[in-house]
C-alpha cells in the first residue's frame, strides 16, 4: 500500500493550502544553505503557516532549530528513501497548521536529534532554553516505548508520568505518529498492522482526550484502511458513488444562510464531509444513506450568545430533531470541546446534522490543547513558573482526565494493573458530567456509578461511604449516573463527630465491600478498592466493643384502660378499654382521636393516621379522647440505614443510653446495602421522644428515623 493510498483523510483536508512536497524540499535542503538573510525554503513554508496563526511570532528559534536539525540529520534517510529531515519538517508543519506556538514547533524540529544524532540534550538546552529541552527529552523518552502486546508496562508508565506533566509532548508525539502513518506503505504488511493497532488502541484515544480532532480523524481513517481493508474499500466506493451528496448539503447550507441573513446574525456556514470511518459507522447504524448523511453543516459565529441565536432561528424555520440536540457550550466535554449539536429535517424528510460554535471554539475543537498556546508562559496568563515548588509542572490546560490519571497511577504499585486500567480508561469513548452537592462538577466515564463518583471526589476517604443521594433521592452506591445528575455522597465519618463521646471509634466504620468492584468503572475506584481489600483480607479489624449496661426490655401492660389516655364526653363509656393504635403509635402531645372497635375497645390514632380516614369513610363515629396525666408511653420507630458492621449494636446502645426499653425489634434483610430496623420502645416520659430520635439518627450509617405508619385494620 503506498503512502498516498493509505491517506483516506485527504478528501476532507482544508482546501486552499496545497500539501507541500516535502520530499522535494528535503532534497533541496541537502544541496546547501539558503541565501543570506533568508529562511531556507523548507522551513520558510512552515514559518508562513505559523505566522498565519501567530503574526507576531519570533521566527529566529525556528530558523536555528531547522539549521541544527538539517545539519545533524544530514546523510540520514528514511526507509522510503527520503532525506530524514523531511520527517521533522512534516511533523512541524502538521503542528503549525493546528496553531501550535513557537516553542512547540522548535521542539518538534529537534524531536529526533537527541535520539538519532550526536546532538545532546545539554546542547539543546544551551541553544534553545530549558523549555525546548524539556519537550525534546519527553518526546525522546516516548520514542523508546513499545506500545505493543510485548510492551513493558513499567516503562510505559514511567514515560507517561514523565510526559504527562506537559501535554505538548503528547501533541508532538501524535503529529509524529500521523506522519509515520501517512508513509507506512513502505513497510511490510505485518508491521503496518502492528503499528495501526497500537495507533487505534492507544494514540487515537489520547488524541480524543487531548481534543485534537484534526489528528484523530485522519489517524482513524489511516488505521481503518490498514486494519479493515475490505470495509474501507466499500466505504470509499460508497462515497465515490454519492458525489451528489455535496450538492444536497450545499442546498441546505444556502437555505441556512438566507435564514440567518434575514435574522441579522452574522455567521459562516460550511460543509464538512464526514471522514471514511464516520461514513462507515453511519452506514452500519442507518443502513441506506441519504445525501445529507455524508456530511454535516458547520456554522461559525463570533459570540457565544450568537450560537443560541442561530439555534433558535434554525429550530423556528425548520423542523428540529429534538433527540439530536446537545449543548456542549454550557457543559463542555472532558477534552475542552464546546459546540451546539442539533439536526433539522427538510421537506423531503432528509435530516441534516448541524454544529454551531464560535471561531475560537472551532480552533479548540480542531486542535484541542494545541490551540491553547504555551500554558507555561506568564505572558499568556498561565502559571508564573514552569515548575512548582515540588518540581511538578502546573499546567492549567491539562484536561481533568489526565490529572486523574497522574493521580491514580501513584496509588497503583502493580504496573500490569496500571497498564490494563489505562487501556480500559482509554477505551471509554464518552464522558458525563455530574454535579456535587457543593456545586462542583465531576467528569466521569459513561456508565460510572456512585462508587466512581465517591472515589473521584474523596479519594481514599471514599472507603467510608455508606450511600448517596442522587437528585435528592436516596440511592445505592451501585446506582449508574446520568449526565447532569446531582450526587450527594454520604460518608459514615460525616456523622461521627460524637463517636468518641459515646465510646465509639471511627475505625468501626467498615471499608469497601468486594461487591463495590462490580460497580466500579474508573481505574481510580478499582485500584483504591483493590488495594484496600488486599491490605485487609479479613475485612475490617474491629476493636472490641466498649462495655455497655444491660438493655431494659418492657412487657405488654395488662389489658385495660390505658393510663395515658382519658375518654371524654357525656355519652362515652369511660370504663372502656383504651388501646393505642399500633399503626401510628401516638404519643403526647400528638393530636389524637378514638374509634370504637369490636369487643368494646377504643383504639386511639393520630389524627393524620391513614386509618382515621378509612374509619370515617365507613361512617364510624369518633370518640373524643385526650392525653391524661401519665408520662410514660410506647412508640414504634423505623430506622433506615446503610449496612455496616456493629450497626445493630450501636443502635441498641443509643436507645439504652436514652433510657428507653425495647419491647420488640425486627431487622429486614438488607436490600442494595440498605437496612430497615423497626423498634417498639417503652419510654418513661413521652417528652424524651425527640431526643431519642436524634440519638438514633446520630448513629453512623443511619440516614432517617421516623414514626411508624403501618396500614391498620378498621376493626
Amino acid at each position: 500500500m503506498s503512502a498516498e493510498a493509505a491517506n483516506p483523510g485527504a478528501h476532507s483536508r482544508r482546501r486552499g493550502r496545497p500539501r507541500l512536497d516535502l520530499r522535494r524540499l528535503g532534497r533541496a535542503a541537502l544541496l546547501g544553505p539558503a541565501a543570506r538573510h533568508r529562511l531556507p525554503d523548507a522551513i520558510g513554508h512552515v514559518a508562513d503557516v505559523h505566522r498565519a496563526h501567530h503574526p507576531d511570532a519570533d521566527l529566529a528559534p525556528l530558523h536555528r532549530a531547522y539549521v541544527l536539525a538539517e545539519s545533524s540529520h544530514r546523510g540520514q534517510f528514511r526507509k522510503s528513501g527520503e532525506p530524514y529531515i523531511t520527517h521533522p519538517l512534516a511533523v512541524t508543519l502538521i503542528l503549525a497548521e493546528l496553531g501550535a506556538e513557537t516553542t512547540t514547533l522548535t521542539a518538534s524540529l529537534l524531536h529526533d536529534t537527541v535520539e538519532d544524532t550526536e546532538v545532546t540534550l545539554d546542547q539543546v538546552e544551551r541553544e534553545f532554553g530549558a523549555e525546548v529541552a524539556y519537550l525534546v527529552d519527553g518526546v525522546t523518552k516516548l520514542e523508546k516505548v513499545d506500545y505493543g502486546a510485548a510492551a513493558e508496562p513499567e516503562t510505559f508508565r514511567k514515560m507517561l508520568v514523565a510526559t504527562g506533566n506537559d501535554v505538548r509532548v503528547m501533541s508532538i508525539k501524535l503529529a509524529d505518529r500521523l506522519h509515520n502513518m501517512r508513509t507506512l506503505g513502505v513497510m511490510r504488511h505485518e508491521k503496518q498492522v502492528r503499528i495501526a493497532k497500537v495507533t487505534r488502541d492507544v494514540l487515537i484515544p489520547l488524541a480524543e482526550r487531548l481534543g485534537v480532532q484534526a489528528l484523530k480523524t485522519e489517524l482513524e481513517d489511516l488505521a481503518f484502511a490498514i486494519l479493515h481493508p475490505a470495509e474501507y474499500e466499500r466505504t470509499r466506493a460508497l462515497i465515490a458513488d454519492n458525489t451528489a451528496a455535496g450538492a444536497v448539503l450545499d442546498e441546505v447550507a444556502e437555505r441556512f444562510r438566507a435564514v440567518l441573513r434575514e435574522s441579522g446574525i452574522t455567521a459562516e456556514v460550511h460543509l464538512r464531509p464526514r471522514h471514511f470511518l464516520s461514513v462507515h459507522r453511519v452506514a452500519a447504524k442507518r443502513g441506506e444513506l441519504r445525501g445529507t448523511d455524508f456530511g454535516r453543516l458547520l456554522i461559525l459565529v463570533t459570540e457565544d450568545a450568537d450560537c443560541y441565536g442561530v439555534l433558535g432561528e434554525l429550530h423556528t424555520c425548520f423542523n428540529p430533531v429534538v433527540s439530536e440536540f446537545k449543548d456542549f457550550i454550557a457543559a463542555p466535554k472532558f477534552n475542552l470541546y464546546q459546540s451546539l449539536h442539533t439536526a433539522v429535517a427538510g421537506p423531503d424528510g432528509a435530516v441534516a446534522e448541524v454544529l454551531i460554535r464560535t471561531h475560537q471554539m472551532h480552533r479548540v475543537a480542531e486542535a484541542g490543547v494545541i490551540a491553547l498556546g504555551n500554558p507555561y508562559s506568564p505572558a499568556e496568563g498561565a502559571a508564573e513558573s514552569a515548575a512548582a515548588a515540588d518540581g511538578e509542572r502546573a499546567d492549567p490546560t491539562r484536561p481533568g482526565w489526565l490529572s486523574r490519571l497522574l493521580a491514580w497511577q501513584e496509588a497503583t504499585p502493580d504496573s500490569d494493573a496500571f497498564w490494563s486500567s489505562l487501556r480500559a480508561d482509554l477505551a471509554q469513548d464518552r464522558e458525563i458530567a455530574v454535579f456535587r452537592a457543593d456545586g462542583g462538577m465531576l467528569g466521569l466515564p459513561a456508565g460510572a456509578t456512585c462508587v466512581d463518583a465517591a472515589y473521584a471526589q474523596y479519594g481514599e476517604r471514599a472507603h467510608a461511604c455508606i450511600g448517596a443521594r442522587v437528585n435528592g433521592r436516596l440511592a445505592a452506591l451501585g446506582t449508574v449516573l446520568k449526565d447532569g445528575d446531582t450526587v450527594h455522597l454520604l460518608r459514615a465519618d460525616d456523622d461521627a463527630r460524637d463517636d468518641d463521646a459515646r465510646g465509639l471509634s471511627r475505625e468501626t466504620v467498615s471499608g469497601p465491600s468486594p461487591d463495590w468492584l462490580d460497580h466500579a468503572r474508573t481505574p481510580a475506584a478499582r485500584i483504591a478498592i483493590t488495594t484496600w481489600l488486599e491490605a485487609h483480607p479479613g475485612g475490617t479489624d474491629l476493636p472490641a466493643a466498649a462495655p455497655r449496661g444491660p438493655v431494659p426490655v418492657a412487657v405488654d401492660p395488662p389489658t385495660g384502660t390505658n393510663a395515658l389516655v382519658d375518654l371524654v364526653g357525656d355519652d362515652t363509656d369511660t370504663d372502656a378499654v383504651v388501646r393505642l393504635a399500633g399503626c401510628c403509635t401516638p404519643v403526647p402531645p400528638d393530636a389524637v382521636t378514638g374509634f370504637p372497635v369490636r369487643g368494646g375497645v377504643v383504639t386511639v390514632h393520630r389524627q393524620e393516621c391513614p386509618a382515621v380516614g378509612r374509619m370515617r369513610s365507613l361512617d364510624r363515629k369518633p370518640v373524643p379522647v385526650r392525653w391524661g396525666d401519665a408520662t410514660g408511653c410506647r412508640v414504634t420507630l423505623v430506622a433506615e440505614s446503610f449496612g455496616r458492621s456493629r450497626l445493630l449494636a450501636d443502635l441498641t446502645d443509643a436507645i439504652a443510653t436514652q433510657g428507653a426499653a425495647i419491647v420488640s425489634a425486627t431487622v429486614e434483610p438488607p436490600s442494595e446495602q440498605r437496612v430497615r430496623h423497626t423498634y417498639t420502645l417503652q419510654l418513661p416520659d413521652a417528652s424524651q421522644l425527640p431526643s431519642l430520635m436524634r440519638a438514633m439518627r446520630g448513629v453512623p450509617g443511619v440516614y432517617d428515623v421516623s414514626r411508624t405508619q403501618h396500614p391498620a385494620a378498621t376493626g
Side-chain angles (χ1 to χ4, degrees):
M1 180 184 296
S2 68
E4 290 75 20
N7 185 20
H11 77 287
S12 61
R13 189 173 289 105
R14 285 187 299 241
R15 292 179 173 83
R17 190 190 305 281
R19 175 181 285 186
L20 300 181
D21 186 349
L22 289 171
R23 171 180 285 195
R24 179 181 60 80
L25 294 175
R27 292 190 182 281
L30 298 180
L31 299 179
R36 184 176 297 180
H37 307 305
R38 179 168 166 268
L39 286 173
D41 286 341
I43 191 61
H45 289 279
V46 175
D48 291 342
V49 176
H50 183 43
R51 272 281 172 83
H53 290 279
H54 303 277
D56 300 325
D58 180 10
L59 300 180
L62 286 181
H63 187 184
R64 291 188 288 113
Y66 171 75
V67 171
L68 177 60
E70 190 277 326
S71 61
S72 60
H73 286 299
R74 187 171 296 170
Q76 296 178 350
F77 295 86
R78 307 191 78 211
K79 291 186 177 181
S80 60
E82 297 172 343
Y84 196 87
I85 189 62
T86 60
H87 173 64
L89 270 173
V91 172
T92 305
L93 182 60
I94 290 169
L95 292 169
E97 289 181 331
L98 293 174
E101 38 74 50
T102 308
T103 303
T104 303
L105 299 185
T106 303
S108 174
L109 283 169
L110 301 170
H111 78 271
D112 278 336
T113 55
V114 173
E115 181 181 9
D116 297 335
T117 74
E118 299 299 320
V119 176
T120 66
L121 196 62
D122 289 340
Q123 181 182 349
V124 172
E125 184 169 357
R126 284 195 307 271
E127 295 190 26
F128 299 96
E131 201 73 29
V132 171
Y134 183 92
L135 299 180
V136 172
D137 185 43
V139 178
T140 301
K141 290 176 178 177
L142 277 180
E143 288 295 329
K144 298 177 182 178
V145 176
D146 178 8
Y147 301 92
E152 175 62 44
E154 181 62 20
T155 302
F156 181 82
R157 174 179 175 172
K158 290 178 180 178
M159 298 306 101
L160 184 61
V161 172
T163 61
N165 288 322
D166 195 322
V167 294
R168 293 175 296 174
V169 174
M170 294 186 181
S171 301
I172 297 172
K173 177 59 184 176
L174 288 171
D176 173 78
R177 176 52 60 96
L178 176 57
H179 182 245
N180 285 334
M181 289 288 291
R182 285 175 176 174
T183 57
L184 207 57
V186 298
M187 296 184 178
R188 65 182 186 274
H189 180 69
E190 294 77 10
K191 191 167 185 179
Q192 290 185 34
V193 170
R194 183 180 68 83
I195 294 175
K197 284 182 177 178
V198 173
T199 302
R200 178 195 63 191
D201 295 342
V202 178
L203 296 178
I204 287 175
L206 279 175
E208 167 73 13
R209 277 152 176 72
L210 292 175
V212 193
Q213 294 297 319
L215 300 186
K216 171 183 174 275
T217 53
E218 189 172 351
L219 284 172
E220 283 183 330
D221 282 350
L222 292 165
F224 179 44
I226 294 171
L227 298 177
H228 304 282
E231 290 87 343
Y232 168 74
E233 286 299 329
R234 282 197 296 269
T235 303
R236 189 168 67 86
L238 184 62
I239 293 173
D241 293 341
N242 286 271
T243 54
V248 175
L249 283 169
D250 280 336
E251 182 181 344
V252 178
E254 193 54 45
R255 295 208 299 267
F256 283 4
R257 294 187 187 101
V259 167
L260 296 177
R261 277 197 303 269
E262 292 177 5
S263 66
I265 299 176
T266 302
E268 299 176 13
V269 182
H270 301 277
L271 169 62
R272 286 175 62 87
R274 291 185 183 275
H275 62 289
F276 279 63
L277 184 59
S278 178
V279 172
H280 171 70
R281 289 169 175 166
V282 172
K285 178 181 177 181
R286 301 179 185 174
E288 184 177 353
L289 298 183
R290 307 180 71 164
T292 53
D293 292 327
F294 288 88
R296 295 188 289 187
L297 295 175
L298 170 66
I299 301 179
L300 299 178
V301 295
T302 304
E303 303 292 338
D304 290 11
D306 292 337
C307 294
Y308 295 96
V310 169
L311 180 72
E313 291 296 329
L314 295 185
H315 282 194
T316 299
C317 300
F318 301 91
N319 295 321
V321 181
V322 178
S323 61
E324 296 293 327
F325 173 70
K326 296 181 180 67
D327 187 347
F328 294 118
I329 295 179
K333 295 180 70 173
F334 63 94
N335 58 4
L336 312 177
Y337 176 87
Q338 288 185 288
S339 186
L340 294 179
H341 289 203
T342 190
V344 296
D348 58 351
V351 175
E353 296 183 27
V354 187
L355 309 176
I356 308 169
R357 58 178 74 137
T358 66
H359 292 278
Q360 173 60 18
M361 291 176 191
H362 182 57
R363 284 191 289 271
V364 175
E366 290 292 289
V369 295
I370 298 175
L372 300 179
N374 184 348
Y376 312 105
S377 172
E380 298 190 26
E384 294 182 0
S385 172
D390 59 0
E392 181 178 350
R393 303 164 71 84
D395 184 351
T397 70
R398 187 165 70 194
W401 71 269
L402 186 54
S403 297
R404 294 196 301 273
L405 183 150
L406 294 174
W408 59 254
Q409 67 82 23
E410 297 176 358
T412 315
D414 185 353
S415 298
D416 291 323
F418 172 80
W419 174 251
S420 59
S421 297
L422 174 67
R423 294 286 294 272
D425 188 54
L426 291 177
Q428 298 286 346
D429 60 355
R430 191 170 67 86
E431 186 162 296
I432 62 173
V434 298
F435 298 94
R436 304 189 321 221
D438 60 5
M441 190 173 71
L442 297 173
L444 299 169
T449 65
C450 294
V451 171
D452 301 303
Y455 284 94
Q457 181 171 349
Y458 293 116
E460 290 187 357
R461 293 173 59 203
H463 293 335
C465 276
I466 54 178
R469 291 185 184 272
V470 178
N471 301 326
R473 304 186 66 177
L474 283 167
L477 287 173
T479 301
V480 176
L481 299 171
K482 299 187 294 296
D483 201 24
D485 281 346
T486 298
V487 183
H488 179 197
L489 297 159
L490 307 175
R491 300 197 328 274
D493 50 5
D494 288 340
D495 298 321
R497 293 182 298 271
D498 299 326
D499 281 354
D500 294 338
R502 294 204 308 269
L504 299 176
S505 167
R506 293 193 182 193
E507 293 179 355
T508 61
V509 177
S510 61
S513 164
D515 294 340
W516 289 16
L517 288 173
D518 296 334
H519 306 302
R521 299 291 180 270
T522 60
R526 296 190 63 82
I527 290 168
I529 295 168
T530 302
T531 302
W532 191 94
L533 292 174
E534 290 176 351
H536 302 80
T540 306
D541 295 327
L542 298 175
R548 297 189 299 268
V551 178
V553 178
V555 297
D556 290 334
T559 302
T561 302
N562 193 302
L564 276 174
V565 182
D566 293 334
L567 300 176
V568 297
D570 295 337
D571 57 348
T572 302
D573 181 5
T574 57
D575 293 329
V577 175
V578 179
R579 290 178 179 167
L580 299 179
C583 56
C584 57
T585 58
V587 298
D590 293 338
V592 292
T593 186
F595 287 93
V597 295
R598 290 188 295 268
V601 176
V602 174
T603 304
V604 179
H605 298 262
R606 282 190 280 164
Q607 287 189 355
E608 65 269 22
C609 178
V612 172
R614 290 196 296 272
M615 291 283 195
R616 287 177 173 158
S617 67
L618 296 174
D619 295 328
R620 295 285 183 87
K621 183 179 180 181
V623 175
V625 295
R626 67 185 176 197
W627 293 110
D629 296 331
T631 57
C633 68
R634 180 177 296 188
V635 63
T636 300
L637 300 179
V638 177
E640 301 277 354
S641 66
F642 293 103
R644 67 171 179 84
S645 61
R646 290 191 57 177
L647 177 62
L648 183 60
D650 291 345
L651 266 171
T652 55
D653 188 32
I655 293 169
T657 302
Q658 293 295 314
I662 299 177
V663 177
S664 64
T666 59
V667 181
E668 298 178 13
S671 174
E672 293 188 334
Q673 300 179 351
R674 287 178 286 184
V675 184
R676 180 185 176 95
H677 305 247
T678 303
Y679 296 94
T680 299
L681 307 173
Q682 187 72 33
L683 292 176
D685 192 330
S687 62
Q688 293 178 300
L689 181 59
S691 63
L692 170 63
M693 296 176 70
R694 283 195 299 270
M696 294 175 67
R697 290 192 186 104
V699 173
V702 176
Y703 58 79
D704 193 21
V705 176
S706 59
R707 303 268 295 276
T708 184
Q709 286 284 2
H710 296 305
T714 55

